Amino acid sequence: MHVTIPYVVGALLFGLGVYGVVRRRNAILVLMAVELMLNAVNLILVTADVSLRSALRAVPGEAWATPNSQAGSGGVFALFVIVLAAAEVGVGLAIVLQYYRMRKAVAVDEVPLAEAENEQVRG
């Protein structure tokens, strides 16, 4: 498989996620768009790891690195992004559910930020 195909797919997925964050009003759909962007980054990280590892196959391993390891740094970074995405979903859904309990809606553009600032000053 040619190496540019996963890069193009990752860029398209990231662009679709950005479009979803900018255009969506529902907070759940905004969280899904952020997850799409994080998965696009995972695809690009793993593809970069595989392509760089195949390009640097002739370069000997460093003393501090594990030269015979099959796990690449792109896969490790992708694992960190997956953990970050899981934490983001947990916190984001908790915030959305609490907001839904208070306001009975999850429309992002209707969140009264100025009213919340006035309530904090009063309280």
Side-chain angles (χ1 to χ4, degrees):
M1 181 169 69
H2 201 268
V3 75
T4 58
I5 294 172
Y7 286 126
V8 170
V9 170
L12 289 174
L13 285 175
F14 193 83
L16 190 62
V18 169
Y19 177 77
V21 168
V22 171
R23 295 293 296 170
R24 296 292 176 200
R25 294 179 57 205
N26 191 338
I28 302 293
L29 294 178
V30 170
L31 286 174
M32 289 174 60
V34 170
E35 290 297 319
L36 189 63
M37 290 175 12
L38 289 173
N39 285 328
V41 169
N42 283 342
L43 177 63
I44 290 173
L45 283 172
V46 171
T47 303
D49 179 47
V50 169
S51 63
L52 289 176
R53 187 173 295 276
S54 66
L56 297 175
R57 190 166 300 215
V59 177
E62 298 292 330
W64 50 269
T66 54
N68 294 328
S69 173
Q70 295 297 325
S73 60
V76 172
F77 282 131
L79 183 63
F80 285 140
V81 172
I82 289 170
V83 169
L84 175 73
E88 178 258 334
V89 165
V91 172
L93 282 177
I95 291 171
V96 168
L97 286 174
Q98 185 63 30
Y99 185 75
Y100 180 76
R101 287 179 186 158
M102 291 173 51
R103 304 284 182 178
K104 301 295 183 216
V106 288
V108 176
D109 58 347
E110 295 175 5
V111 175
L113 296 177
E115 181 180 313
E117 290 174 1
N118 291 339
E119 288 177 2
Q120 289 178 355
V121 171
R122 285 186 221 145

